[in-house]
Amino acid sequence: MSSFLRPWSWLVLAALVPSGPDASVAADVPVRARPTRPAAETGPVTSLRLGNFDYVSATDLAVWLGLKGAWTEPLRKLTLTDKANPDNRAEINVDNRDTLIDGRRVLLGNKAVLRNGRLYVSRIDAEKCIAPLLRPGLGVPLPPPPRIIALDPGHGGKFAGTENKSLGLQEKDLALDVALRLRGLLEKAGYKVVMTRTTDVALGPDLTTDWTTRSLIANHAGADLFVSIHFNSLFPDTKTTGTEVFTFPPQFQRSDQSWSEGVDDTERMPSPVNRFDHWSAVLAGAMHRDVLAALQTTDRGKKLKHLAVLRGLNCPGVLVESAFLSNDAEARRVATPEFRQQIAGALAAGVRDYGAILDSLRPGPQPPAATMAAPAASISR
Ligand SMILES: [Zn+2]
């Protein structure tokens, strides 16, 4: 981590270090001597090693983030809460990756564990998943305001993506339609938009070339953000519905895919997009909130996946699966232009809200940034 620290962090840290009888975690776990360097620079101290992973205690994580920690279900669920804003919280479950952050489902890269009555999360999750969502300005340099947005309509040409044959729907067509609508909204708001495709074409003779070309187009354009637009499918399961938002796993962390299949797919070499893990998580958090609020879909979570389309990016990137084409009811919604306009509006709100988060962390006079009226479907922050 770099040595960047916002002035307010000191105040928060000083004011909110757990103390007194209501600081349940601090009461359970004696807080060790703090390191001589400020916690915001170093991150929480490592206090446990399991396999190849460093773990930090919930107590140290709470101190680092300036939150209060307490068991909401003894030895099963621990909640870290911002005293000043109780909606700003993480609910962490023992022996589980499933976490709620600000009320939305987030899949950690590693299970939280219980040792000697104390809850621990992996350092990577603490620093690259929980901190960006709860304290986006903590410990990392701010990127410039987003101005060039790369939009990537998934699939195209001979690569159709998923299909709902009975309804005659192809993912590639729907993704392109949403992307074109989103381009209109973003350009109207003053952003420069780069599209990886604007017609029904594949971007390479094989899938690997097709995927990597998408990030190359974004990099060549100097994109500040990358948003890949997809629709989901779980055929033969036709019941599942909902929204998923993906980022590329941090180095040394396995993907959501690997957990469900039971095979560790950890990558030990860093990928280019790993330089932006923190801001990809912040972007994903904004997208996740805005899409769920606008579409009122089932929250299937913010997840990690080794997606070739994100791997080579020189900027933060997310892949959004707004809804399932394998569920007929949801697919029928996606088939309507009104719903696709709602998706575009929600993704535009996500871009705008990501920029607003950066602006809120920037000291001094705010630079002129692209502005946008909130789409009717989005919620206020
Ligand atoms: Zn897709």
Side-chain angles (χ1 to χ4, degrees):
M1 278 216 167
S2 81
S3 58
F4 185 84
L5 176 64
R6 308 238 55 85
W8 60 262
S9 313
W10 295 104
L11 297 173
V12 170
L13 282 168
L16 296 181
V17 168
S19 63
D22 67 343
S24 312
V25 173
D28 290 342
V29 186
V31 176
R32 77 197 63 246
R34 300 253 67 80
T36 48
R37 281 200 292 159
E41 282 189 17
T42 60
V45 289
T46 295
S47 43
L48 187 68
R49 182 134 179 114
L50 291 176
N52 292 323
F53 290 94
D54 289 339
Y55 280 74
V56 300
S57 74
T59 305
D60 288 329
L61 179 60
V63 170
W64 183 49
L65 299 179
L67 301 170
K68 177 186 164 233
W71 288 107
T72 33
E73 291 175 30
L75 304 184
R76 289 173 58 93
K77 183 197 293 263
L78 187 136
T79 303
L80 304 177
T81 313
D82 185 339
K83 280 183 183 171
N85 177 11
D87 289 339
N88 198 207
R89 67 184 192 278
E91 297 163 58
I92 306 170
N93 298 295
V94 168
D95 210 21
N96 210 322
R97 299 170 58 228
D98 230 305
T99 302
L100 274 188
I101 297 185
D102 293 348
R104 286 176 293 280
R105 186 182 183 213
V106 173
L107 274 294
L108 300 178
N110 293 90
K111 291 177 180 177
V113 297
L114 188 71
R115 289 292 182 278
N116 300 320
R118 303 168 190 179
L119 185 137
Y120 294 84
V121 296
S122 77
R123 169 178 288 282
I124 299 176
D125 282 318
E127 293 184 344
K128 306 224 167 188
C129 179
I130 299 172
L133 293 175
L134 289 175
R135 292 287 182 260
L138 192 63
V140 291
L142 274 178
R147 297 185 191 283
I148 304 175
I149 315 297
L151 300 183
D152 175 42
H155 316 281
K158 64 181 176 181
F159 305 123
T162 191
E163 295 179 71
N164 185 316
K165 290 204 171 89
S166 60
L167 296 176
L169 301 174
Q170 290 198 315
E171 182 184 3
K172 64 175 184 175
D173 301 328
L174 300 163
L176 178 58
D177 181 83
V178 169
L180 292 170
R181 292 169 188 273
L182 177 54
R183 176 175 72 175
L185 293 173
L186 292 175
E187 284 181 345
K188 212 166 151 189
Y191 294 97
K192 183 178 173 203
V193 176
V194 178
M195 303 276 289
T196 57
R197 66 179 179 100
T198 55
T199 56
D200 182 16
V201 289
L203 297 182
D206 56 83
L207 274 175
T208 304
T209 311
D210 177 88
W211 287 326
T212 51
T213 299
R214 296 168 192 263
S215 52
L216 290 175
I217 291 171
N219 292 348
H220 188 253
D224 298 307
L225 284 187
F226 181 90
V227 181
S228 192
I229 298 164
H230 287 251
F231 290 96
N232 226 328
S233 161
L234 270 179
F235 284 120
D237 168 1
T238 56
K239 291 203 166 66
T240 300
T241 60
T243 297
E244 295 178 343
V245 179
F246 289 93
T247 55
F248 197 86
Q251 185 186 10
F252 303 120
Q253 215 165 33
R254 61 197 291 187
S255 74
D256 178 73
Q257 203 86 353
S258 89
W259 279 97
S260 54
E261 292 172 3
V263 179
D264 188 344
D265 66 352
T266 299
E267 294 187 3
R268 312 208 75 76
M269 295 296 289
S271 290
V273 74
N274 283 135
R275 292 167 293 160
F276 308 95
D277 284 341
H278 181 98
W279 298 109
S280 292
V282 174
L283 174 63
M287 289 287 183
H288 190 193
R289 180 190 58 205
D290 287 325
V291 172
L292 289 177
L295 307 184
Q296 297 289 306
T297 38
T298 304
D299 179 7
R300 287 182 47 86
K302 174 194 168 293
K303 300 181 170 180
L304 302 169
K305 200 168 180 177
H306 290 107
L307 292 158
V309 71
L310 301 180
R311 183 189 304 278
L313 288 173
N314 282 337
C315 64
V318 295
L319 185 146
V320 181
E321 306 256 16
S322 300
F324 276 80
L325 295 187
S326 45
N327 175 271
D328 279 356
E330 206 156 83
R332 281 197 193 91
R333 285 185 86 190
V334 178
T336 67
E338 294 76 16
F339 190 69
R340 295 197 299 275
Q341 188 67 27
Q342 262 189 306
I343 298 172
L347 297 174
V351 170
R352 181 204 63 214
D353 286 344
Y354 171 80
I357 291 168
L358 296 190
D359 288 347
S360 73
L361 298 170
R362 219 174 293 284
Q366 304 297 311
T371 54
M372 183 188 303
S378 81
I379 52 167
S380 57
R381 291 168 46 77

